Amino acid sequence: MTSHFYKSLLILFLSISSSLAQTVNLDQMTEESLLEGIHLLNHLVSIPNNSHHPDQLHQNLDWCKENFEKRGWEVEELDTEGFPLLLTSFEVEGAEKTVLMYFHVDGQAVDPAKWKQENPYKPVLKEQNSEGDWEEISFDRLKDEFDPEWRIYGRSTSDDKGPLAMFLTAWDALSEMGRKPDYNLKIILDFEEEIGSPNLPDAVNKHADKLEADMMLIMDGPRHLSNEPTLSFGARGIARVTLTTYGPKTPQHSGHYGNYAPNPALNMSKLLGSMKDEQGRVIIMGFYDGIILSPEEKEILAQVPDDETEIKSKLEIAAADQVGDSYQEALQYPSLNIRGLSAGWVGKEARTIIPSEAIAELDIRLVPESDPEKLFALLKSHIQNQGFFITEENPTTDQRLEHPKIVKWEGEISYQAFRTPFDSEPGTWLRKAYQRAFAKEPIMIRMEGGSIPISPFIEALDIPAVIVPTVNPDNNQHSPNENIRLGNYKEGIKTMLSILSEPLTAEEKTQNER
């Protein structure tokens, strides 16, 4: 009798949970919570958050603690070798699944002189005039009117405080209804993402028991270029290499030693030029090993509605590299990018010298098939085949006198790539939430080109992960005049509401019990 009673209660609870999605009016709740959500975003953005300034990060950490605690969440700092992570948790009685969400709260540095507003950390509302310029308008106008094309400008409005504010706004709206998800929630807040999350992998392994979950959602990044609702099922990893070539011990007068002292900039140029062909493909043997796109995979990639003419027009390039047959195909391969070069002086500082050294900064975007250690080995072997002696320290006098061509190697593997199947548990669940919110299928990206520090979670926790991007693709993240489009902020709140109210286990469980 007692067993039957509790079984009936469980069925009732699960029935209520499974009907949550049907009783939540997403549009109405989003509309009613929008102004408060904008106020919350402005408050959060007004706290400086340069990743290189721990005093600023502590202010953000305190804000996050306070705002989650007052909403009834458990909050705990997780120590790292650098700035701590913040873990917040909310347990739902009777829930059998746990969803781990990732946000980061730090931001890139700012150069106030390049921002078209008084203070990058004082958010302003702008509209575009007939000449195409963005003019500041009063937030008070939002009391009576709303234009989805208006934008809030400020550092981290999109990357990544906007999504965090969307989530809290949606949580508040659902709480006011007396509703909860039918799953437990854990949120990890990262305060070092913009400097590569150097301490995250070790911290995740150390605290794996506290982070245990059934799946992970990464609440970061822009939508597809069409700005349509998007889900991304993978992201490339990243490794970095710094190469230094050497000429005379100190810069020398080009009149005295030109045609005699080897120029390190020329040697570096030849070395870099030897790595790729005219179509931009890496010609280091084995660099693309393991990447074979089946006809089915090519079909999946072709379904992404890219307008490549528009992409090239936006970038102002006449032709794209030919690594893949399309933009999406290109993202499925590891990349070898020259992200910076330095040798001597240029412009008004130019002088008639032979530089003493040349430096090239490279980044390698990784895919799941890539072994970064193998790629490093292939790159080193290629450099040696070009006649260079490789050292990992500054060359000694004896080495400089013995080897005509020297390169110093500095390499770092930040984190691996990840990729989750479309039909995985989180993929199927999220697609239902998106269909309910937008009455159409989301654009599904197999692999994003950018890198996010998620592979440590996937490897340590053995869980699938999906990226939930919400912000406008033209948000100027990392650059001056970062912004978030109001239409994206509003739809982002709606997205969060739909995810929070979409049953994860209740429907299946209820049917089985019956």
Side-chain angles (χ1 to χ4, degrees):
M1 184 72 174
T2 304
S3 174
H4 178 74
F5 173 74
Y6 284 114
K7 184 175 180 181
S8 299
L9 276 182
L10 178 60
I11 293 173
L12 177 62
F13 168 77
L14 292 169
S15 298
I16 292 171
S17 298
S18 64
S19 65
L20 173 59
Q22 283 70 44
T23 60
V24 171
N25 187 321
L26 297 176
D27 290 315
Q28 180 182 342
M29 291 178 69
T30 300
E31 195 70 41
E32 291 174 353
S33 61
L34 180 59
L35 286 181
E36 186 58 34
I38 291 173
H39 175 73
L40 187 151
L41 173 64
N42 288 346
H43 189 210
L44 179 55
V45 170
S46 68
I47 307 172
N49 65 339
N50 188 327
S51 303
H52 296 280
H53 293 275
D55 56 325
Q56 295 183 8
L57 298 182
H58 276 292
Q59 296 178 55
N60 288 271
L61 178 68
D62 291 342
W63 187 95
C64 291
K65 280 184 178 180
E66 177 186 346
N67 275 271
F68 277 96
E69 285 176 340
K70 75 181 183 181
R71 289 169 170 84
W73 289 59
E74 295 291 326
V75 174
E76 179 183 4
E77 286 187 30
L78 303 182
D79 60 292
T80 78
E81 292 298 317
F83 198 85
L85 300 164
L86 187 65
L87 174 64
T88 72
S89 307
F90 191 94
E91 290 194 7
V92 177
E93 186 176 354
E96 296 183 358
K97 295 283 187 176
T98 299
V99 176
L100 175 64
M101 293 185 176
Y102 170 93
F103 297 84
H104 74 86
V105 190
D106 61 321
Q108 288 279 333
V110 298
D111 180 354
K114 294 183 179 179
W115 284 70
K116 297 179 180 178
Q117 62 196 70
E118 179 184 348
N119 182 347
Y121 296 115
K122 183 179 179 181
V124 296
L125 183 64
K126 294 186 178 184
E127 69 175 345
Q128 196 170 29
N129 62 26
S130 57
E131 284 77 38
D133 297 321
W134 290 91
E135 295 180 339
E136 186 173 336
I137 59 176
S138 173
F139 277 103
D140 288 339
R141 288 181 61 178
L142 287 169
K143 296 176 182 178
D144 302 309
E145 55 183 320
F146 176 84
D147 186 336
E149 299 303 326
W150 290 350
R151 301 188 180 208
I152 299 174
Y153 280 75
R155 173 56 84 220
S156 297
T157 48
S158 277
D159 184 26
D160 184 35
K161 289 184 173 181
L164 179 57
M166 294 170 192
F167 175 85
L168 290 174
T169 302
W171 181 265
D172 291 344
L174 206 61
S175 297
E176 287 179 11
M177 287 184 64
R179 302 289 193 176
K180 298 181 179 69
D182 76 336
Y183 51 88
N184 300 317
L185 267 166
K186 295 180 182 179
I187 292 179
I188 194 74
L189 298 170
D190 186 357
F191 297 84
E192 294 185 317
E193 194 271 350
E194 297 295 3
I195 55 172
S197 300
N199 302 294
L200 184 65
D202 288 342
V204 171
N205 285 315
K206 180 178 179 181
H207 302 291
D209 57 330
K210 297 178 180 179
L211 298 168
E212 186 177 357
D214 295 288
M215 64 186 69
M216 186 172 188
L217 308 185
I218 302 98
M219 320 304 279
D220 189 12
R223 286 174 166 182
H224 178 260
L225 289 172
S226 64
N227 201 25
E228 289 293 316
T230 305
L231 288 173
S232 296
F233 289 78
R236 293 193 289 188
I238 188 169
R240 301 175 179 87
V241 175
T242 300
L243 301 176
T244 305
T245 52
Y246 298 89
K249 187 173 183 179
T250 58
Q252 297 296 319
H253 192 294
S254 63
H256 297 323
Y257 290 100
N259 293 341
Y260 187 83
N263 190 306
L266 179 61
N267 280 339
M268 179 67 79
S269 300
K270 289 182 175 180
L271 175 60
L272 296 176
S274 72
M275 297 178 183
K276 289 191 175 185
D277 64 17
E278 291 294 321
Q279 286 72 46
R281 291 183 294 250
V282 177
I283 54 177
I284 298 172
M285 189 67 69
F287 197 84
Y288 297 135
D289 280 0
I291 298 96
I292 301 173
L293 296 176
S294 68
E296 293 77 16
E297 289 167 334
K298 283 178 173 283
E299 185 177 345
I300 287 172
L301 297 173
Q303 289 173 1
V304 178
D306 289 330
D307 184 335
E308 301 212 16
T309 300
E310 182 180 337
I311 294 174
K312 285 185 277 192
S313 177
K314 178 184 177 182
L315 300 179
E316 295 191 10
I317 58 174
D321 286 347
Q322 300 300 303
V323 178
D325 293 335
S326 66
Y327 174 61
Q328 291 300 322
E329 284 192 23
L331 300 181
Q332 313 308 308
Y333 293 82
S335 69
L336 181 60
N337 175 59
I338 304 168
R339 67 177 187 172
L341 288 170
S342 174
W345 295 265
V346 297
K348 293 181 180 180
E349 298 296 321
R351 55 203 71 178
T352 51
I353 55 94
I354 299 167
S356 60
E357 63 181 31
I359 301 171
E361 292 272 2
L362 312 180
D363 61 57
I364 301 174
R365 298 287 175 167
L366 307 166
V367 297
E369 295 82 0
S370 301
D371 176 354
E373 294 286 1
K374 177 184 176 183
L375 295 187
F376 274 11
L378 291 173
L379 188 54
K380 285 183 177 179
S381 177
H382 177 83
I383 292 170
Q384 289 173 328
N385 289 339
Q386 303 305 305
F388 284 88
F389 170 77
I390 299 177
T391 176
E392 294 187 1
E393 306 289 341
N394 290 328
T396 65
T397 297
D398 287 344
Q399 288 171 334
R400 296 175 71 101
L401 292 174
E402 180 181 356
H403 301 285
K405 294 162 68 175
I406 299 174
V407 66
K408 182 172 75 171
W409 168 283
E410 299 169 87
E412 176 191 24
I413 300 167
S414 296
Y415 37 83
Q416 272 282 26
F418 81 93
R419 188 168 61 231
T420 299
F422 286 176
D423 59 356
S424 61
E425 183 180 24
T428 301
W429 172 58
L430 288 169
R431 288 169 68 183
K432 288 180 181 178
Y434 269 61
Q435 287 164 353
R436 185 161 56 88
F438 302 106
K440 60 183 176 182
E441 279 274 348
I443 294 172
M444 295 193 292
I445 307 293
R446 183 176 187 256
M447 174 79 71
E448 283 193 354
S451 302
I452 49 179
I454 300 306
S455 60
F457 292 96
I458 296 172
E459 293 167 3
L461 306 179
D462 191 25
I463 55 175
V466 178
I467 303 169
V468 181
T470 52
V471 303
N472 43 297
D474 59 348
N475 65 73
N476 292 338
Q477 66 187 77
H478 294 194
S479 301
N481 306 303
E482 181 180 349
N483 65 83
I484 189 165
R485 177 180 171 271
L486 283 191
N488 282 75
Y489 191 68
K490 185 176 181 179
E491 290 191 353
I493 295 172
K494 185 178 180 181
T495 301
M496 302 291 183
L497 271 169
S498 190
I499 291 172
L500 288 171
S501 60
E502 182 66 35
L504 182 54
T505 57
E507 289 179 342
E508 177 184 352
K509 180 77 173 179
T510 303
Q511 290 168 3
N512 290 340
E513 290 287 353
R514 288 176 179 170

